[in-house]
Amino acid sequence: MDESLILELAKAVAKILAKKQKLSYAKDFHAFTKGRKLVLAGVEFKNFPKGPNTRRTDGDVVAHAIVMALAGATNTGDIDDWFPDKGKTGVRSMDYLPDIRKRLIEEKDLLVGNVDVTIICGDQPRMKKAIPQMQENIATDLNLDMEQVHVKVSSMDGTDEIAKLEGIQAEVIISLWEGL
C-alpha cells in the first residue's frame, strides 16, 4: 500500500471517529450561606461552617456540573430538564448520576471516555485528602473505572467571591463516544 493511500485512509478513519466523539464542558457555582453543609461528589466536609445556598438539593456543584456536561454532550437540555423541581428539598445530588447513567448513557448506548473535574474554592476547606473518595463516588455512580475519573482542586487568589470563600464552583469536561 502506498503512503498516500495510507494517509487518505487515516484521514477517513479520523473523520468518522471525530463525528462519534462528543466533548462537553459545564460548570456550576453556588454562593455559600452559614448553616448549610458542604458536599462535593458525595463527600461531606463536616468541619466547614458553610455550604451552598440551595434548598432543593444538597448543592453538590460537582454532581450538578457532571449532569450538565452529560446533557450538553448529547444536546438533551440541562439539569432542570433531566431533574425538574418536584417540590422536594434536600435531594442528594449524587443520586442524579446513576439515574442519568441509566436514562441517558445506557439507553443511548454511549461510552464515557473520561470525566475531568476541577473544584474551585478559596483557601478553605482543604479537600486534597477527600479526592480519592470523590473520584470513587463518581466512578461508581457512572459505572466507570477509576482511571476514567480525575478530580483536582484549585484555590483562588484575589478578591472575587470564590477567593473570599463566598462560594464554590465545579468545572467539568466529559468525553463521550456514540455508536462504537
Side-chain angles (χ1 to χ4, degrees), residues 57-123:
T57 70
D58 58 13
D60 187 332
V61 292
V62 173
H64 295 179
I66 290 171
V67 169
M68 296 288 278
L70 287 167
T74 57
N75 196 23
T76 56
D78 62 26
I79 195 167
D80 292 323
D81 296 313
W82 281 93
F83 302 100
D85 188 351
K86 295 181 179 176
K88 294 181 183 178
T89 59
V91 173
R92 183 177 179 271
S93 300
M94 284 297 285
D95 289 344
Y96 292 164
L97 299 189
D99 190 338
I100 201 165
R101 182 192 78 226
K102 291 173 190 160
R103 294 192 301 147
L104 177 67
I105 296 169
E106 292 172 3
E107 190 170 300
K108 292 186 178 259
D109 199 27
L110 301 171
L111 178 67
V112 176
N114 73 314
V115 177
D116 186 80
V117 178
T118 303
I119 300 167
I120 303 170
C121 189
D123 210 22

Side-chain angles (χ1 to χ4, degrees), residues 28 41 58 85 126 130 154 162 169:
D28 191 42
D58 58 13
D85 188 351
R126 295 294 182 192
S154 177
I162 295 173
Q169 181 169 300

Side-chain angles (χ1 to χ4, degrees), residues 124-139:
Q124 294 279 336
R126 295 294 182 192
M127 300 173 198
K128 195 108 173 138
K129 291 180 183 175
I131 287 175
Q133 185 61 57
M134 288 190 263
Q135 289 177 177
E136 183 177 331
N137 292 348
I138 295 166

